[in-house]
C-alpha cells in the first residue's frame, strides 16, 4: 500500500458530496436480503429481440469508434420519433447527439453553457446529479421548491428567481422522485415566463414514455418557445429496460448543439457502437415505447392495490416508475423518525428498501414521504407488498 504521506492533499471540487443515497440503500438491501424497491432500475430482462440486434451488430463488425455525434441511423430514428410524437422537425446531422446516458447528457449541457458565476435554477426535489453538475461548471445553484404535497411548479417563485445572471433552468417531467407530470398549461406558462429572457432550458425527459391515466407527455419539443432554447434529454436505458447500457440522446437547436458537442467530444467522445446500431434497428418498431405507459400503469396499479392494504398514504403517481407514500399515518413509532432513518429501519426490520425524499433536497427537507420503485417483476412487487403488509 502506498504510504499516506506520499499522496498530495486535495481541495475537493465537490466538498459536500459523499456516497449517493441510492448506493447506500442498495448496499443495505443486499446486506439484509431486503426487497430492493429503492434504486430505480428494472429487475426484469429487456426484449430478447434487442439482445439479438446487439449480437447481429457485433457480428456485422460494428465494433470500432462510431461518429462522434452518434451512429447516423440512430440519430435519424430519434429525429423521426421526435417528429412523429411531438411535431418538431429536427436535423439529425446537427441537432441530435447520442450520449453515454442521460446523466452525462445533463452534465455536458451544463458544462457547455454555464460560465462561472452564472445562476442555474433547479426545482426541488430534484435528481441528485443536477447540483454537483452546476457546481463543477462554477455556476450558482438557485433552488426553487416545487409545491409540497403536490410537487407542482410554483411559477411565482420561478419568476422571482430569474435575474439578469440566470443562465438556465432545469425541469424534469415526468418527475423523479414524485411521479408528477407537467401539464400543457404549465409548459405554456413556463414558455411565457422565459419568452422575454435568454434563459436556456434543460428538459430532463427520461421517463417520457411512462405517463398514465390518459395523459400525454408534454415534451419541451411541443412548444416552439421552449424548443428553441432547450436541451431535451432522453434515455434508451429507461425506455427499453437496459439502464446498464448508459445510452441517451440530447436534442437541441444547431447553435446550442454545436457547443454541446465541443464538450461531448472531449468528455466521452463516442458511445458504445454495437448498441447504437442495435437500437436503431429495434426502433423500426415503435410498439415497445408506445406500449410502455400501459405496461408500467399495470405495475403501478398492482403495487398501489397492495399498498392500499397498509397504513401508508399513497400520493398520486401520474408518471415514471415511482410511487411516493406518506409515512406519517403508520401505526409504528418509527413513523416519527426522519425519512432517511425510517428507510434504514424499513430495510433492516421489514426487509424492503425505499428512498427518502429528503435526499432530493439541498437542505434535507423532511415531509414524511418516501419513494418506492415499481419497475420490478410482479413477484418482486408481491413480495414487497407482503412484507409491507405488516405496517
Amino acid at each position: 500500500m502506498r504510504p499516506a504521506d506520499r499522496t498530495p492533499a486535495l481541495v475537493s471540487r465537490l466538498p459536500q458530496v459523499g456516497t449517493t443515497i441510492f448506493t447506500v440503500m442498495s448496499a443495505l438491501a443486499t446486506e439484509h436480503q431486503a426487497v430492493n424497491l429503492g434504486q430505480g432500475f428494472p429487475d426484469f430482462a429487456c426484449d430478447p429481440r434487442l439482445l439479438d440486434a446487439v449480437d447481429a451488430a457485433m457480428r456485422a463488425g460494428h465494433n470500432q469508434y462510431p461518429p462522434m455525434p452518434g451512429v447516423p441511423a440512430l440519430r435519424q430514428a430519434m429525429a423521426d420519433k421526435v417528429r412523429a410524437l411531438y411535431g418538431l422537425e429536427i436535423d439529425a446531422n446537427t441537432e441530435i447527439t447520442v450520449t453515454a446516458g442521460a446523466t452525462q447528457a445533463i452534465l455536458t449541457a451544463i458544462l457547455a453553457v454555464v460560465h462561472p458565476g452564472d445562476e442555474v435554477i433547479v426545482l426541488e426535489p430534484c435528481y441528485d446529479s443536477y447540483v454537483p453538475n452546476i457546481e463543477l461548471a462554477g455556476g450558482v445553484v438557485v433552488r426553487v421548491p416545487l409545491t409540497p404535497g403536490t410537487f407542482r411548479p410554483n411559477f411565482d417563485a420561478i419568476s422571482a428567481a430569474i435575474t439578469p445572471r440566470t443562465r438556465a433552468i432545469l425541469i424534469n417531467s415526468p418527475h423523479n422522485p414524485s411521479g408528477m407530470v407537467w401539464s400543457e398549461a404549465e409548459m405554456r406558462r413556463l414558455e411565457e415566463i422565459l419568452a422575454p429572457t435568454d434563459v436556456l432550458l434543460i428538459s430532463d425527459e427520461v421517463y417520457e414514455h411512462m405517463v398514465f391515466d390518459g395523459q400525454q407527455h408534454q415534451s419541451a419539443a411541443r412548444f416552439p418557445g421552449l424548443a428553441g432554447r432547450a436541451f431535451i434529454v432522453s434515455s434508451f436505458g429507461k425506455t427499453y429496460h437496459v439502464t446498464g447500457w448508459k445510452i441517451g440522446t440530447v436534442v437541441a437547436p444547431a447553435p446550442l448543439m454545436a457547443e454541446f458537442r465541443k464538450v461531448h467530444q472531449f468528455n466521452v467522445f463516442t458511445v458504445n457502437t454495437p448498441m447504437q446500431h442495435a437500437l436503431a434497428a429495434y426502433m423500426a418498431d415503435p410498439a415497445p415505447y408506445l406500449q410502455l405507459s400501459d405496461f408500467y400503469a399495470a405495475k403501478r396499479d398492482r403495487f398501489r392495490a397492495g399498498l392500499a392494504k397498509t397504513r401508508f398514504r399513497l400520493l398520486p403517481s401520474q408518471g415514471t416508475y415511482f410511487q411516493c407514500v406518506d409515512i406519517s399515518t403508520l401505526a409504528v413509532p418509527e413513523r416519527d423518525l426522519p425519512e432517511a432513518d425510517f428507510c434504514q429501519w424499513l430495510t433492516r426490520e421489514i426487509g424492503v428498501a425505499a428512498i427518502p425524499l429528503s435526499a432530493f433536497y439541498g437542505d434535507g427537507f423532511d415531509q414524511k414521504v418516501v419513494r418506492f420503485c415499481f419497475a420490478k417483476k410482479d413477484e418482486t412487487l408481491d413480495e414487497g407488498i407482503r412484507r409491507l403488509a405488516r405496517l
Side-chain angles (χ1 to χ4, degrees):
M1 183 174 178
R2 190 179 291 114
D5 60 359
R6 297 289 182 88
T7 303
L10 292 177
V11 177
S12 176
R13 294 288 308 277
L14 297 170
Q16 306 303 318
V17 172
T19 305
T20 71
I21 188 65
F22 310 106
T23 300
V24 170
M25 295 309 302
S26 287
L28 196 64
T30 300
E31 179 184 350
H32 293 277
Q33 297 184 316
V35 177
N36 190 354
L37 303 184
Q39 194 167 358
F41 60 86
D43 69 345
F44 46 83
C46 68
D47 187 339
R49 293 182 300 157
L50 185 52
L51 301 181
D52 291 342
V54 173
D55 182 69
M58 288 180 172
R59 295 185 184 282
H62 297 302
N63 300 301
Q64 308 307 325
Y65 293 130
M68 181 270 288
V71 168
L74 182 55
R75 285 185 278 130
Q76 187 60 57
M78 279 297 295
D80 293 343
K81 187 184 88 164
V82 169
R83 181 183 65 252
L85 293 184
Y86 308 131
L88 179 65
E89 294 281 352
I90 60 173
D91 187 328
N93 292 319
T94 62
E95 296 184 318
I96 186 166
T97 298
V98 180
T99 62
T103 301
Q104 181 250 319
I106 293 166
L107 173 61
T108 301
I110 290 170
L111 291 175
V113 302
V114 175
H115 296 252
D118 285 351
E119 295 175 352
V120 182
I121 296 171
V122 299
L123 307 181
E124 288 191 317
C126 64
Y127 184 60
D128 66 346
S129 80
Y130 295 174
V131 168
N133 288 180
I134 296 163
E135 292 174 343
L136 283 172
V140 177
V141 179
V142 178
R143 303 173 188 270
V144 175
L146 296 167
T147 305
T150 66
F151 302 100
R152 305 224 69 87
N154 180 337
F155 290 106
D156 289 340
I158 292 171
S159 295
I162 296 175
T163 76
R165 296 175 60 190
T166 304
R167 184 59 170 158
I169 179 172
L170 278 94
I171 67 170
N172 173 212
S173 178
H175 181 248
N176 176 18
S178 74
M180 178 271 293
V181 174
W182 282 50
S183 68
E184 179 181 355
E186 286 167 336
M187 294 296 284
R188 292 200 182 281
R189 180 72 179 114
L190 181 65
E191 186 178 39
E192 177 184 307
I193 288 170
L194 297 183
T197 78
D198 290 326
V199 174
L200 299 172
L201 173 65
I202 301 172
S203 186
D204 179 353
E205 303 184 13
V206 299
Y207 301 101
E208 62 186 311
H209 300 302
M210 304 170 203
V211 179
F212 312 136
D213 304 325
Q215 295 184 93
Q216 187 177 49
H217 171 56
Q218 299 299 328
S219 173
R222 293 184 184 277
F223 305 91
L226 297 178
R229 66 176 74 231
F231 295 93
I232 302 171
V233 180
S234 297
S235 167
F236 294 113
K238 298 292 193 300
T239 299
Y240 293 129
H241 318 310
V242 287
T243 60
W245 288 14
K246 298 297 295 179
I247 301 182
T249 58
V250 170
V251 168
L256 299 184
M257 186 56 70
E259 293 303 311
F260 181 94
R261 288 178 178 178
K262 288 179 184 179
V263 177
H264 176 78
Q265 70 180 336
F266 294 118
N267 183 354
V268 295
F269 181 56
T270 58
V271 175
N272 192 297
T273 304
M275 276 134 179
Q276 289 195 59
H277 283 276
L279 286 164
Y282 189 69
M283 287 183 70
D285 178 8
Y289 61 79
L290 292 178
Q291 296 170 0
L292 196 63
S293 288
D294 290 342
F295 173 81
Y296 274 121
K299 289 192 175 294
R300 179 202 63 168
D301 293 347
R302 185 187 193 98
F303 190 50
R304 285 176 66 91
L307 287 178
K309 300 172 185 176
T310 72
R311 292 178 180 267
F312 288 113
R313 183 175 70 84
L314 279 65
L315 277 62
S317 175
Q318 299 176 316
T320 74
Y321 45 49
F322 299 120
Q323 174 65 57
C324 288
V325 298
D326 187 325
I327 65 174
S328 65
T329 52
L330 297 179
V332 295
E334 287 79 10
R335 71 183 183 185
D336 296 323
L337 291 171
E339 292 169 4
D341 293 342
F342 173 85
C343 286
Q344 295 206 23
W345 171 81
L346 191 71
T347 305
R348 290 193 308 267
E349 303 300 328
I350 305 301
V352 178
I355 298 292
L357 244 66
S358 56
F360 297 86
Y361 288 89
D363 62 358
F365 175 53
D366 196 304
Q367 52 197 314
K368 300 299 180 187
V369 174
V370 304
R371 188 199 78 179
F372 292 114
C373 172
F374 55 79
K376 308 296 176 183
K377 299 173 185 174
D378 287 351
E379 52 265 38
T380 304
L381 294 175
D382 292 346
E383 177 59 21
I385 290 166
R386 186 188 69 78
R387 298 184 185 193
L388 292 170
R390 297 166 55 187
L391 301 174

